[in-house]
Amino acid sequence: MAERERRTELTRRAVLGGALAAGAGFAIGRPTAAAAAQNALLDHTATVANTAVKNAVTYDKYSLFLNGKRLFVWSGEFHPFRLPAPNLWPDILQKMKASGFNAVCAYFNWSYHSPAPGEYDFTGVRDMDRFLDLAAETGLYVLARPGPYINAEVNAGGFPGWLTTVKGQARFDSAGYLQAADEWYTAINQVIARHQVTDGGGTVLLYQIENEYSSYVTSSDGQNYMGHLLAKARADGITVPAYHNDKGRDGEWVPGSFPGSGSNYLYAFDGYPSPTSTPPDWGYYGSGGSTGGATASPGTPGFEAEFGGGWFDPWGDAPWGGQGYAYEREQAGPAYERRFYLTSIANGIKIHNTYMVFGGTSWGWLPAPVVYTSYDYGAAISEARQLTGKAAAFKQIGYFLQAVPDVTKLDPAAPVTLSNSALTSYHLANPDTGTELYLIRNDHTTAQSCTFGLGAYTVPRSGPLTVAARDAKLVLANHPLGGAKLVYTTSHLMTTAPGLAVLTAPAGDRGEIALHYPERISVTGSSVTSTYDSTTGDTLITYTHDGLATATVTPENGAELTLLIADDDTAATIWRGDLPGGEAVIVAGPALLRTAERAGAVLKLTGDTAGPAKLRIWPPEGVRETFWNGRPVPASGTVAGPPAVTLPALSEWRYADENPESAPGFDDTGWTPATSGLYVDDYGFHYGDVWYRGTWTGAPGGQVSIAYSGGTIGCVQAWLDGAYLGFSQLPVPSSSQSTTAWWSATAAFDVPSAAQGGGKHVLAVLARTMSHQEDGGSNDAFKAGLGLSGVTFPGAPSAPSPQWKITGAKPGADPVRGPLAAGGLYGERHGWHLPGFNDSAWRKVTLPHSSAHPGVAWYRTGFTLDVPAGVDASVGLSISDDKSKQYRALIFLNGWNVGQYVNDVGPQTTFVLPNGLLDPAGANTLALAVTGASACDLGAVTLVNLGTAARG
């Protein structure tokens, strides 16, 4: 087992075991546009008269059926809570759709919606009705994942902070927990149920219960728990098929293994193989049986609920040597996608979800201890919402799956013998239609070539088939194409439209396509050569993939077929837009095609350009006029890129020292007495910084010893009678510790001689615990004590017994941004992070700035953006400084905690400022709360452009 896969089995997803004003209200209905789009999507996959008709989702061993028509689900993961700007959700969903996906998989995060027991918020940035409507409008099915536990590298695995004090073991058949979980299910299922495919209300296709639940599988407690969740979902009106994701390939929770799972229930599994490993066979060609992946449930479709689309990165980035997510994106790049995902398809997987396609941001106190702010994940769509080369590879596969529906029913066919034994081959066929797939895979670090027998031919006939290092090629054969039979093609059939086919391969590759018509054909095109075989009636067309070339196939009787022959780089700018009635438009040249609409002879397209682009359009028959982003364009012409976007310098800063809580005379009368230990959750302080103040009378001795626990790089600072004692930080993980979530330490601070005498003393401690660990082991790990576990005074003449008080961020402290945005610093409790705060009395400074003040200090500035209308600019904030300085900064944009910078740990130095939280055409406020081990310095802070596009 490869290193990543082995690490995954133990720890992956199971560690330890809007808008500026948050505008919209609770959605209770579906807009007409969403209903129309949902109907169009169903029409694309099944015969549906209207959305009022019950839409049956069934399945056999091969695939899902929607109203009797087979459906291949090509899905990607996107968490709306990791992009708390609903105005940007359509951007991600449209990019997913354009990149070949027909489904989006989404966790729904309990803690994101529930600040306290009985309180649930689905408004503003938490409006999940809006998210599900947008998915339907975009034409995407939804795989809904409400937990209750989600893991996801989020704080407490998605459990709300208040659940830490609820009696009864979580993820177990215990009354207290089940009561709380039922409360969540009632709230979220009310939303999900009204968006299901089955009642025509939306495009929710599948529903997951729990998440990688590998505990108590053979016990009645575990079985009753799973049965309870499924029964609750059904009682709440969930009628689509349900599933659970086995975190390995252990055959756990297959249909019939717990009450209620005998029907309308699917088995699914997760897998995160290392990109440097050999692609695993988790289906037809694997080990078989209960641990073989899809073979654990032979009566249901092969279902990979999570297949690695990247990997998460820990604080310090030891595994990747400080290179960050760019390293992971390269390692799990397009070649990885072709090798691994096509291998899964060859193994009979018909429901495939990639985790992640857009990772987004673990802003505020959302991240679990094992990750920092960015959750970019090395995904196909970067954290800054930019399509990467990985998206192009997804598109090639996704478009193919839509163009060749026969892949929904495949069986292993007769093995083929390759002329080069260094290559691996798979051969599959549809038993009903005879369509064949040949996957040729190269697992070596150098390119390999081969030929092989295909029917009467040795393929290729114009020279060997070359497969690049650690890559794969898919050969389609015996399949209808236009009015012909595609005998085979060594190029990748990316997509088709009436009278059109797109063929792709790496630049410089020789390609060939053999077509059989009932009569002789003519082939025209300056870059192709054709040969007619009178014996077979086949015509062989050969070419080299270089840019974009066209060839026209004209039969004596019948419609023409145009071949668009592209290299992979060019194919990245080729897009398919689906229109009602099975029509489609093919567009080449722009950075993105978002939408396509037809009104009679008029075609309206919207999309993006990152620079001037040559636009070529192949419209459906009858179109006479085409518009691009509202302007008329010819079928072949040039469209402009975006104007330059100028970002202002951040030059006018205000500075103020903070932490008055450390002073002995500070008024803490409103603080909560800590009468039952010092762990923060016991007093309702679940997120962010927490202050302690302990008072006593008597000599403290020469040392204070503070025991504390928390997540990775959590820290404490202490003051005695106002004198600073020092700073202590939990470890930065090594590569082997990258998934170690929980740490404990004891900080020993020397007491200044002036404070060692008798009398009244005040010990003030600021604790940043980072976050709760996850609960992948179903052992209540998320309830582990956060904060101080004990304070002692070694050498004191008589042991002091301080009376403790504690304060932090209470639930409901920020109803607009939610509990995960609020922390307990003095500045946060008094609004220093908010746009309207008056900082005119603060001292003016320039950056970089040095400060002798230990503890906490604040820096604030304002800036105005003027991004032109019709331009989408992704803006980031970059911090740079001498890495030997030990400080960290919470970054607040217009009151939102968008991330945490840790200067001496890293690796993250640039933070995305998403539009919606950022006003791209108005005034914005930045506030940085710096916590320094010995000084609250701050390096250079600049705005950076992370990507700009002109769009409609």
Side-chain angles (χ1 to χ4, degrees):
M1 184 180 292
E3 173 59 26
R4 177 177 304 211
E5 184 65 17
R6 180 170 63 249
R7 185 174 71 210
T8 294
E9 298 305 295
L10 297 175
T11 60
R12 169 71 184 112
R13 333 245 340 100
V15 176
L16 286 180
L20 292 170
F26 194 89
I28 57 174
R30 292 180 43 75
T32 303
Q38 186 256 12
N39 191 51
L41 177 58
L42 295 177
D43 277 338
H44 188 65
T45 56
T47 303
V48 180
N50 59 70
T51 57
V53 176
K54 294 284 186 180
N55 300 305
V57 183
T58 57
Y59 52 85
D60 64 7
K61 68 177 183 178
Y62 291 107
S63 73
L64 292 181
F65 290 89
L66 185 54
N67 288 341
K69 188 170 183 178
R70 291 193 181 276
L71 175 65
F72 195 113
V73 179
W74 184 244
S75 172
E77 192 90 9
F78 163 36
H79 302 155
F81 58 82
R82 280 193 160 107
L83 184 61
N87 57 299
L88 295 181
W89 294 344
D91 178 61
I92 301 301
L93 295 170
Q94 288 171 2
K95 286 173 177 171
M96 290 182 64
K97 177 71 173 177
S99 298
F101 294 97
N102 66 353
V104 58
C105 186
Y107 277 133
F108 297 92
N109 184 346
W110 187 356
S111 68
Y112 186 53
H113 297 278
S114 183
E119 296 183 22
Y120 290 90
D121 185 355
F122 292 95
T123 64
V125 300
R126 292 169 288 278
D127 187 348
M128 295 300 101
D129 273 295
R130 183 176 178 183
F131 174 76
L132 294 172
D133 277 339
L134 289 169
E137 291 170 20
T138 308
L140 292 171
Y141 296 110
V142 178
L143 280 59
R145 309 174 75 189
Y149 178 77
I150 63 172
N151 209 76
E153 288 76 61
V154 296
N155 198 324
F159 284 151
W162 57 262
L163 193 68
T164 59
T165 58
V166 170
K167 292 182 179 179
Q169 183 176 336
R171 311 184 74 192
F172 197 72
D173 187 20
S174 58
Y177 168 71
L178 289 180
Q179 181 179 350
D182 283 355
E183 184 183 280
W184 163 240
Y185 258 32
T186 296
I188 190 60
N189 287 343
Q190 182 181 4
V191 176
I192 295 172
R194 54 178 168 256
H195 294 271
Q196 296 179 98
V197 165
T198 42
D199 63 6
T203 53
V204 172
L205 184 71
L206 298 171
Y207 177 99
Q208 179 179 304
I209 59 168
E210 248 291 345
N211 185 77
E212 296 182 336
Y213 185 59
S214 61
S215 302
Y216 314 109
V217 176
T218 60
S219 77
S220 60
D221 290 297
Q223 294 167 8
N224 290 342
Y225 170 51
M226 292 290 282
H228 177 96
L229 293 180
L230 182 56
K232 172 60 176 168
R234 297 301 185 207
D236 288 340
I238 301 300
T239 55
V240 296
Y243 71 98
H244 173 267
N245 58 326
D246 185 347
K247 77 173 181 180
R249 273 75 51 206
D250 298 314
E252 295 177 347
W253 307 117
V254 296
S257 61
F258 62 91
S261 64
S263 62
N264 208 24
Y265 178 84
L266 304 171
Y267 170 75
F269 61 91
D270 294 352
Y272 289 81
S274 168
T276 60
S277 67
T278 300
D281 291 317
W282 288 332
Y284 292 154
Y285 296 93
S287 59
S290 61
T291 60
T295 56
S297 182
T300 61
F303 188 171
E304 287 184 350
E306 293 182 22
F307 197 106
W311 191 257
F312 63 83
D313 195 19
W315 286 102
D317 187 36
W320 300 336
Q323 299 177 74
Y325 284 113
Y327 176 86
E328 176 64 11
R329 183 170 285 111
E330 179 182 356
Q331 292 295 302
Y336 160 85
E337 292 173 312
R338 287 187 287 268
R339 272 205 314 149
F340 283 76
Y341 302 158
L342 291 176
T343 296
S344 287
I345 292 170
N347 272 272
I349 303 303
K350 304 302 194 308
I351 308 173
H352 186 289
N353 178 60
T354 299
Y355 189 106
M356 304 285 301
V357 166
F358 171 75
T361 305
S362 296
W363 51 273
W365 300 106
L366 179 63
V370 293
V371 291
Y372 48 89
T373 297
S374 176
Y375 199 67
D376 178 281
Y377 216 78
I381 305 174
S382 72
E383 184 187 6
R385 298 183 292 110
Q386 306 302 299
L387 290 174
T388 71
K390 294 180 65 170
F394 273 119
K395 180 171 62 175
Q396 287 188 5
I397 299 173
Y399 280 14
F400 169 82
L401 295 172
Q402 296 171 33
V404 187
D406 292 9
V407 297
T408 55
K409 186 177 182 180
L410 293 174
D411 286 322
V416 297
T417 300
L418 304 179
S419 63
N420 182 352
S421 61
L423 293 167
T424 300
S425 66
Y426 299 79
H427 179 204
L428 300 107
N430 184 302
D432 300 331
T433 67
T435 292
E436 296 177 86
L437 291 183
Y438 296 82
L439 174 63
I440 314 299
R441 198 182 72 217
N442 179 9
D443 297 325
H444 300 277
T445 56
T446 58
Q448 301 286 329
S449 298
C450 74
T451 59
F452 64 96
L454 196 163
Y457 300 114
T458 296
V459 175
R461 284 184 278 171
S462 59
L465 180 75
T466 298
V467 185
R470 304 186 69 79
D471 210 328
K473 282 194 173 183
L474 193 64
V475 175
L476 176 67
N478 196 30
H479 183 72
L481 182 64
K485 181 181 82 170
L486 171 66
V487 181
Y488 70 85
T489 176
T490 61
S491 301
H492 179 80
L493 181 66
M494 177 171 159
T495 190
T496 63
L500 196 70
V502 181
L503 303 171
T504 70
D509 271 19
R510 292 280 295 170
E512 58 185 45
I513 181 171
L515 297 171
H516 182 87
Y517 280 86
E519 71 276 357
R520 191 159 184 164
I521 63 174
S522 65
V523 180
T524 57
S526 60
S527 302
V528 302
T529 301
S530 64
T531 304
Y532 176 69
D533 186 334
S534 59
T535 304
T536 61
D538 298 342
T539 297
L540 179 68
I541 305 170
T542 60
Y543 42 82
T544 298
H545 289 271
D546 181 16
L548 179 62
T550 62
T552 302
V553 179
T554 306
E556 293 178 358
N557 299 293
E560 288 186 342
L561 174 65
T562 298
L563 303 177
L564 303 184
I565 302 166
D567 61 38
D568 284 348
D569 289 342
T570 303
T573 68
I574 295 178
W575 310 94
R576 174 192 174 95
D578 289 310
L579 299 164
E583 290 187 320
V585 57
I586 303 298
V587 179
L592 179 68
L593 176 66
R594 291 185 180 273
T595 63
E597 298 177 10
R598 181 176 181 178
V602 177
L603 180 65
K604 297 180 180 179
L605 307 174
T606 68
D608 294 5
T609 54
K614 184 178 180 182
L615 193 67
R616 298 184 66 181
I617 302 170
W618 289 266
E621 186 176 355
V623 169
R624 299 290 178 265
E625 189 175 17
T626 301
F627 289 80
W628 175 262
N629 290 344
R631 296 183 178 181
V633 293
S636 180
T638 300
V639 290
V645 173
T646 301
L647 300 178
L650 302 177
S651 56
E652 298 182 5
W653 289 89
R654 298 274 182 167
Y655 170 89
D657 294 334
E658 203 229 60
N659 53 276
E661 300 95 336
S662 63
F666 180 80
D667 183 4
D668 60 13
T669 54
W671 290 23
T672 302
T675 56
S676 301
L678 297 175
Y679 289 134
V680 298
D681 286 304
D682 293 336
Y683 303 100
F685 305 117
H686 306 304
Y687 306 109
D689 294 276
V690 172
W691 274 97
Y692 298 84
R693 281 172 58 88
T695 60
W696 75 97
T697 300
Q703 195 175 70
V704 177
S705 180
I706 301 175
Y708 67 105
S709 57
T712 303
I713 69 167
C715 61
V716 294
Q717 292 177 286
W719 292 257
L720 181 62
D721 300 336
Y724 185 58
L725 299 182
F727 173 91
S728 176
Q729 178 178 285
L730 295 172
V732 178
S734 65
S735 184
S736 64
Q737 297 169 327
S738 61
T739 53
T740 301
W742 204 241
W743 308 82
S744 297
T746 298
F749 299 120
D750 292 333
V751 174
S753 57
Q756 292 183 15
K760 183 177 180 180
H761 295 280
V762 179
L763 177 65
V765 181
L766 173 61
R768 180 168 297 178
T769 56
M770 300 303 282
S771 64
H772 305 83
Q773 60 187 307
E774 297 162 288
D775 196 43
S778 309
N779 55 4
D780 272 355
F782 77 105
K783 294 182 178 180
L786 279 168
L788 307 190
S789 56
V791 178
T792 58
F793 301 84
S798 66
S801 298
Q803 299 297 307
W804 290 98
K805 288 188 174 182
I806 184 172
T807 197
K810 281 285 193 179
D814 190 340
V816 172
R817 299 167 187 86
L820 295 168
L825 294 176
Y826 181 90
E828 291 178 278
R829 305 196 311 269
H830 291 81
W832 292 14
H833 60 305
L834 299 176
F837 177 76
N838 183 0
D839 60 11
S840 60
W842 289 18
R843 179 158 54 95
K844 292 182 179 180
V845 298
T846 58
L847 299 183
H849 179 253
S850 296
S851 166
H853 178 75
V856 182
W858 285 72
Y859 297 79
R860 282 175 55 95
T861 191
F863 62 94
T864 299
L865 296 179
D866 187 19
V867 178
V871 173
D872 180 11
S874 180
V875 179
L877 184 80
S878 182
I879 304 176
S880 60
D881 205 351
D882 177 353
K883 296 305 178 184
S884 66
K885 296 180 179 179
Q886 192 174 18
Y887 70 84
R888 56 185 68 194
L890 300 179
I891 303 167
F892 295 91
L893 170 67
N894 296 321
W896 283 85
N897 181 340
V898 295
Q900 181 174 186
Y901 169 81
V902 183
N903 184 66
D904 58 312
V905 175
Q908 187 173 7
T909 60
T910 299
F911 296 79
V912 173
L913 308 179
N915 295 332
L917 308 188
L918 178 77
D919 187 345
N924 297 274
T925 300
L926 273 174
L928 279 71
V930 175
T931 303
S934 58
C936 293
D937 293 352
L938 182 60
V941 179
T942 56
L943 297 176
V944 292
N945 190 334
L946 302 176
T948 303
R951 57 175 291 189

